[in-house]
Amino acid sequence: PVAPQPPTMRSTIGLLAGNALLASAFAPGGRPVHLPGAAQGVLTDAAATAAFFVAGAERRDACVRSGVVCSGRSGVAQAAMLAESPIAVPGQMSKIERMRSRYGQVYEPEDGWSSTSAETDTGFSYADLEAGVGDIASFSRGDSVKGTVLGFEPNGALIDIGVKSSAYCAIADCALEKPVRPEDVLELGVEYEFLIVSREDENGQQMLSRRKVLTVKAWDLVTEMMAADTAVSGIVAAVNRGGAIIQVEGLRAFLPGSHYLPGQNPPDDLIGQQLKVKFLDVDRENNRLVVSHRKAMVDQTINDLAVGSVLAGVVTAVKPYGAFVDLGGMSGLLHISQISCDHIGDVGSVLPLGTPIKCMVISQDKSKGRVALSTKTLEAEPGDMLKNQAKVFEEAEATAAKYQERLEAERKAREEAAQDVIFGLESVFTDSPGATPDDLLLEPVLSDDLPMDN
């Protein structure tokens, strides 16, 4: 309970204004009263209390709902609106009455909402609406979908995958390598394959990734290349003490320093250049990819190698039976008997480890990757490899050319000799008409033609 307060001039004016306002507002056909002077817009708590007693219990509910108990000009406006649209059942406002009291007016067709005439029947039902919309597709995380590029944003692209809201592909997931802009790797209106990587957010949008789809395809491709022993070009992305990082088919591969070139590590100026490599290890589960430049060079060298070619190499190993020479990634054997025409007792004394030499290919086995070498064929004079190796290596190409000419001449001489033998046999057959080589071989030998003992 609140203790009664002594009446003031303001409360008295408010009481009179409230009585006049309510009396005019709720009277049949009544209109709002425009109060002059200090009574304009004044509806205090005292005025509202007086209005309750004057209007009675039935009008009190309408007064509370219409906001007459609030002070200020809004109370006057709401009371006027209530007067223009009376409530049918006091205390129970219908939906239309509630909307009219809130917004001032409610749309209603001329024939009313219950009209079923042919003019108002559109012939379109909720079943028709549902059939027109059809089933809305839904996807879960991990599903593979196809989507069309709708537009681009600074940090990604909007993709239509056939659901209620467009999906989003971040710029880092647009390709195997993060592009500068999404439009550099995606085209507007083109359909691509994506992978769902998130659930729907509060807006019904899902996140997509094209990078994961391309990664799976790239691993399948490199696995097939390793099985087929195919050489592929890669771009050097980085160089470190252990080797280099190569971008191969969009994947990062490791090139060990020992598989670049014998005795060399990849230099820093190799970054950004292309390099021929072959796969040594492809492990998708552990995300490990190892390549070799040396293996690719060996296979290429063997394919281009021919007997009689002069190659430069380095002695990498010395054995009692000879020396192994590295020929730019490929190893060949220089047997002790092919070093010089003179006798050699110790291979290491003639060809120390690490000696750069030139040698000639005398035979090869491409299937097994074996190459036989010789420096003896490069000697202008027998024993030059023991007396003056520098002269042998300096004149290696010229000596090899002469050696090839000599071999060619010997080959022609052998062919001519073989032809002479064939011509001689033909002349023998000509001298014995009707005789054949078999007849000559099967002709019996008489006892008079045999030598006599004693």
Side-chain angles (χ1 to χ4, degrees):
V2 181
Q5 300 293 331
T8 61
M9 184 64 183
R10 184 175 180 84
S11 63
T12 303
I13 295 174
L15 179 60
L16 296 176
N19 290 334
L21 177 62
L22 291 174
S24 62
F26 292 101
R31 295 181 177 276
V33 177
H34 298 281
L35 302 177
Q40 177 68 38
V42 179
L43 286 176
T44 61
D45 294 338
T49 304
F52 285 140
F53 285 105
V54 174
E58 293 182 358
R59 298 178 182 177
R60 179 176 58 193
D61 295 339
C63 181
V64 172
R65 288 191 299 270
S66 61
V68 178
V69 296
C70 301
S71 60
R73 300 181 181 179
S74 61
V76 177
Q78 292 180 3
M81 181 183 65
L82 185 61
E84 295 178 357
S85 56
I87 301 174
V89 180
Q92 297 181 2
M93 296 180 66
S94 64
K95 181 177 180 180
I96 296 178
E97 291 173 346
R98 190 179 299 108
M99 295 178 66
R100 183 181 290 113
S101 66
R102 181 178 301 173
Y103 302 110
Q105 61 180 355
V106 178
Y107 170 78
E108 185 174 353
E110 296 181 358
D111 299 336
W113 294 105
S114 60
S115 175
T116 58
S117 60
E119 291 79 10
T120 59
D121 188 7
T122 59
F124 190 78
S125 62
Y126 284 103
D128 298 333
L129 177 62
E130 183 179 359
V133 173
D135 296 334
I136 299 178
S138 61
F139 301 101
S140 303
R141 181 187 300 176
D143 293 343
S144 178
V145 298
K146 289 187 177 181
T148 305
V149 180
L150 296 178
F152 298 107
E153 294 186 355
N155 295 323
L158 295 174
I159 312 296
D160 179 20
I161 59 175
V163 296
K164 58 185 178 181
S165 180
S166 60
Y168 188 77
C169 182
I171 189 172
D173 290 322
C174 289
L176 286 173
E177 299 180 21
K178 182 179 178 181
V180 179
R181 302 179 304 170
E183 49 265 37
D184 294 339
V185 293
L186 299 177
E187 294 184 16
L188 194 65
V190 179
E191 187 179 66
Y192 297 94
E193 186 178 359
F194 298 90
L195 191 71
I196 305 292
V197 295
S198 73
R199 299 178 180 176
E200 293 184 358
D201 59 8
E202 62 275 6
N203 299 321
Q205 191 175 65
Q206 291 179 304
M207 300 295 294
L208 305 179
S209 175
R210 177 155 175 78
R211 178 176 58 86
K212 291 189 176 182
V213 175
L214 297 177
T215 300
V216 173
K217 293 182 178 180
W219 277 106
D220 293 340
L221 181 59
V222 297
T223 302
E224 295 176 359
M225 287 182 174
M226 181 178 179
D229 197 25
T230 305
V232 62
S233 295
I235 298 178
V236 181
V239 174
N240 51 40
R241 295 180 60 184
I245 303 298
I246 312 293
Q247 288 284 349
V248 182
E249 299 297 333
L251 302 176
R252 294 172 64 89
F254 177 63
L255 172 67
S258 59
H259 282 272
Y260 172 59
L261 288 177
Q264 301 181 33
N265 277 337
D268 294 336
D269 56 2
L270 200 62
I271 297 177
Q273 298 184 12
Q274 288 191 351
L275 207 64
K276 279 279 188 180
V277 294
K278 279 196 172 185
F279 297 100
L280 295 178
D281 186 17
V282 176
D283 190 349
R284 181 183 303 188
E285 295 181 358
N286 298 321
N287 196 27
R288 183 174 61 195
L289 192 61
V290 184
V291 296
S292 173
H293 174 61
R294 179 176 179 177
K295 183 179 179 181
M297 295 303 297
V298 167
D299 294 345
Q300 182 178 357
T301 303
I302 287 180
N303 292 331
D304 299 338
L305 203 61
V307 175
S309 303
V310 177
L311 304 176
V314 179
V315 178
T316 57
V318 177
K319 303 295 181 181
Y321 52 84
F324 287 95
V325 181
D326 183 82
L327 306 171
M330 178 182 61
S331 182
L333 175 62
L334 177 59
H335 196 264
I336 188 173
S337 61
Q338 292 293 331
I339 296 178
S340 177
C341 293
D342 290 352
H343 175 73
I344 296 177
D346 184 13
V347 177
S349 61
V350 180
L351 297 174
L353 190 66
T355 303
I357 65 171
K358 287 185 178 181
C359 48
M360 177 187 289
V361 178
I362 57 176
S363 66
Q364 62 173 337
D365 188 349
K366 293 184 178 181
S367 60
K368 297 182 179 180
R370 296 177 180 177
V371 179
L373 306 174
S374 174
T375 54
K376 181 174 66 173
T377 55
L378 301 179
E379 291 180 328
E381 298 292 337
D384 282 348
M385 278 296 296
L386 303 179
K387 303 173 185 176
N388 193 354
Q389 291 186 8
K391 178 183 177 182
V392 174
F393 299 148
E394 182 179 354
E395 300 176 354
E397 286 76 8
T399 307
K402 294 179 180 179
Y403 178 77
Q404 293 294 333
E405 293 177 357
R406 187 167 65 250
L407 290 181
E408 185 67 19
E410 293 178 356
R411 184 184 63 81
K412 290 182 178 180
R414 288 194 298 269
E415 290 180 354
E416 292 176 357
Q419 290 179 357
D420 293 341
V421 172
I422 295 174
F423 292 153
L425 291 175
E426 290 180 351
S427 63
V428 171
F429 298 151
T430 304
D431 295 340
S432 302
T436 63
D438 294 337
D439 296 338
L440 295 176
L441 293 175
L442 297 176
E443 184 177 357
V445 180
L446 299 177
S447 60
D448 297 339
D449 297 333
L450 296 177
M452 299 294 294
D453 292 339
N454 299 327

